[in-house]
Amino acid sequence: MLRCSFCGRRAVYDRRYAGAALCDRCLIKSVEKRFRRAIAEHKLVSPGERIVVAVSGGKDSVACLHLLAGYCSQRNSKVVSLTIDEGIKGYRDHSLPVVEENAELLGVEHFVVSFKQAFGASLDRIVRLARTRKTGLNPCTYCGVMRRSLLNQAARELGADKLATAHNLDDEVQAIMLNYVRSDLSRLHRLGPIYPSREGFVPRIKPMREIPEKESALYAILRELNIHLAVCPYAGGIHIEIRDFLNSLEEKHPNSKFMILRMFERLKPKISQTIPEFEMRSCKVCGEPTSAEICKTCELLGQLGLAKQGKTLI
Ligand code: SF4
Ligand code: ZN
Ligand code: ZN
């Protein structure tokens, strides 16, 4: 029987990248410690701040909501839960009640903003339109761009000092690799534990960034959190290929994911030097901040014959 390297109890997890095994209690303690360390090291939360947490109902975001609610309650900071309902039938409609129940349990205010309300169309409809019009873009492109934009706008309207997302180590390393593969330096240099404020943008923080996906999942299970376990029906494409590649690399060469993250952190200052500062403007169509004349959301909507509905979300 594998024993916990810290207390000798029965281990539930083999942390191969660190050459240690952990029991349930030590794993919970370790995840919470890493979470607090990331906040302290990168000054992600200051006392008195209002933190809006993007919560989908999945294991990472529910764990993030619980961890932040606990952290902030001891520091006079306030946590608010925000869910974007993209409109994915049989998937998002099942996760919405899960978020609501968690928010209620924690006594946290909860808001939902839908694609339907903001764009006059659900993601399901956007995907159908994209197929009819043969745009060649996949569902995740629409979903990612539009959700990011709504999260920022809603967080701003909610008076957020920070917008927290639950990206874990695996998500961050996948994003690093994806931007390498796409040779997208400008997106690459935006990755990190905090993306600072620009006019109209709420600073985004990632307090789970040093927690591997497996540990985040185990944390949610061991703490018996109410989570939504289904997989999005649109998930696929290069993201999944990169995820599988990284998992097989980690399996054969433990610690590869952390090494990729550390290497990126060393390179990032140099990468940032090569990115010219761009001027922030307001989108000519919807007024949201953008570096171009028209923001990416309005550009994508325009190709589908859709448009943003109204100026405010909340
Ligand atoms: Fe959106 Fe793609 Fe994630 Fe589904 S898998 S929620 S479509 S980004
Ligand atoms: Zn232990
Ligand atoms: Zn716009």
Side-chain angles (χ1 to χ4, degrees), residues 91-300:
Y91 174 67
R92 183 60 71 229
D93 39 351
H94 294 174
S95 72
L96 292 172
V98 173
V99 186
E100 235 170 76
E101 283 160 28
N102 277 287
E104 205 180 306
L105 180 75
L106 292 164
V108 159
E109 247 187 309
H110 173 55
F111 296 85
V112 179
V113 170
S114 72
F115 274 27
K116 184 99 197 289
Q117 155 203 357
F119 311 130
S122 64
L123 183 67
D124 286 338
R125 174 145 178 259
I126 288 172
V127 170
R128 283 196 298 274
L129 283 170
R131 283 179 186 151
T132 315
R133 296 188 177 218
K134 297 191 172 53
T135 61
L137 299 175
N138 65 37
C140 297
T141 303
Y142 293 101
C143 186
V145 168
M146 294 173 176
R147 188 182 42 211
R148 256 195 311 278
S149 152
L150 291 188
L151 278 173
N152 182 65
Q153 188 182 343
R156 199 182 62 229
E157 290 179 17
L158 287 167
D161 294 296
K162 306 270 171 57
L163 168 64
T165 60
H167 292 84
N168 58 39
L169 173 74
D170 295 53
D171 297 325
E172 192 75 345
V173 175
Q174 280 164 33
I176 292 168
M177 293 304 286
L178 183 68
N179 288 316
Y180 278 149
V181 171
R182 291 185 170 159
S183 190
D184 192 339
L185 273 185
S186 96
R187 275 188 195 278
L188 188 66
H189 103 114
R190 281 185 236 155
L191 295 174
I194 181 161
Y195 185 63
S197 176
R198 305 270 325 240
E199 214 183 313
F201 282 106
V202 176
R204 288 195 307 266
I205 57 169
K206 296 178 189 164
M208 313 268 288
R209 186 175 173 257
E210 302 241 350
I211 301 171
E213 181 157 353
K214 268 189 195 165
E215 296 180 25
S216 163
L218 261 174
Y219 178 81
I221 292 165
L222 294 172
R223 281 207 48 200
E224 298 180 356
L225 302 181
N226 178 9
I227 53 175
H228 178 238
L229 280 169
V231 175
C232 174
Y234 296 124
I238 192 168
H239 292 85
I240 304 293
E241 288 166 40
I242 289 178
R243 181 198 68 191
D244 293 347
F245 161 72
L246 288 167
N247 284 343
S248 101
L249 193 69
E250 182 73 27
E251 186 61 31
K252 288 182 198 136
H253 309 281
N255 208 29
S256 296
K257 291 176 188 172
F258 272 112
M259 295 301 269
I260 293 171
L261 185 76
R262 299 286 173 249
M263 187 63 187
F264 169 65
E265 279 165 354
R266 286 170 63 193
L267 287 174
K268 197 178 155 184
K270 303 251 179 286
I271 297 170
S272 299
Q273 281 168 17
T274 69
I275 308 289
E277 272 288 308
F278 56 83
E279 196 196 323
M280 291 309 293
R281 319 181 198 181
S282 295
C283 169
K284 279 199 164 163
V285 181
C286 72
E288 282 300 296
T290 174
S291 57
E293 290 226 325
I294 293 177
C295 74
K296 194 75 191 156
T297 295
C298 287
E299 188 191 315
L300 292 174

Side-chain angles (χ1 to χ4, degrees), residues 33-51:
K33 194 171 156 193
R34 276 190 194 181
F35 183 85
R36 286 193 303 269
R37 194 179 60 201
I39 293 179
E41 203 174 305
H42 303 289
K43 301 185 176 59
L44 303 185
V45 179
S46 303
E49 280 188 335
R50 185 173 169 86
I51 312 294

Side-chain angles (χ1 to χ4, degrees), residues 27-90:
L27 181 98
I28 289 176
K29 249 200 268 173
S30 163
V31 166
E32 293 177 348
K33 194 171 156 193
R34 276 190 194 181
F35 183 85
R36 286 193 303 269
R37 194 179 60 201
I39 293 179
E41 203 174 305
H42 303 289
K43 301 185 176 59
L44 303 185
V45 179
S46 303
E49 280 188 335
R50 185 173 169 86
I51 312 294
V52 169
V53 191
V55 191
S56 67
K59 60 186 184 343
D60 300 309
S61 64
V62 169
C64 187
L65 180 67
H66 280 258
L67 285 162
L68 264 175
Y71 182 91
C72 289
S73 68
Q74 295 159 6
R75 287 162 181 84
N76 195 29
S77 303
K78 190 172 163 128
V79 162
V80 175
S81 158
L82 171 64
T83 301
I84 303 299
D85 174 8
E86 304 92 345
I88 305 173
K89 204 165 183 324

